[in-house]
Amino acid sequence: MGSNMAYDLANSDVELEIALTQHLLYNHYPPVHLGFIPSCIEAIQAVEDGEYRKQITMMNGKTLTAGEIVNGLHLEFFVDRGDEYID
C-alpha cells in the first residue's frame, strides 16, 4: 500500500468521502468497494473518540471493531491519532 498517498489524501483539503474514495480505489489492490465508505467513516470517528473496540457491521455483513477496520483498510492517516497503535 502507498502510505505516502494515504498521508497526502488524509492531509489534503479534499472532503473525507472523496479522499477515502481515492484511497480505497487506487491505494488498494484489488480496489475496495466504495460501499465500505460509511463503515470507514464510522470507524475513523470511533477511533478518534477512543472507541477502538466499537463493533461496526459493514456492508458485507461482517462485524469488526473500529480498530480492525482502520488497520485493515490502512486508514491510520485519516485518524487524528494516526501515530498511535490501533489495536
Side-chain angles (χ1 to χ4, degrees):
M1 301 303 122
S3 61
N4 288 336
M5 182 178 177
Y7 177 85
D8 290 343
L9 286 168
N11 291 287
S12 70
D13 292 332
V14 176
E15 291 180 29
L16 180 59
E17 292 85 0
I18 294 170
L20 287 172
T21 296
Q22 297 297 309
H23 175 66
L24 296 178
L25 287 179
Y26 304 114
N27 213 21
H28 286 90
Y29 185 81
V32 176
H33 191 282
L34 297 182
F36 286 102
I37 288 178
S39 300
C40 291
I41 292 171
E42 186 177 353
I44 290 166
Q45 290 171 340
V47 170
E48 286 177 347
D49 292 340
E51 299 177 18
Y52 302 99
R53 298 193 190 290
K54 178 181 179 183
Q55 297 287 313
I56 298 172
T57 302
M58 300 183 301
M59 66 170 271
N60 62 358
K62 289 187 179 184
T63 299
L64 299 173
T65 66
E68 289 171 328
I69 293 169
V70 169
N71 281 333
L73 294 176
H74 310 284
L75 303 174
E76 294 87 358
F77 291 114
F78 294 91
V79 177
D80 288 339
R81 304 175 193 180
D83 58 342
E84 294 180 14
Y85 174 77
I86 299 170
D87 189 32

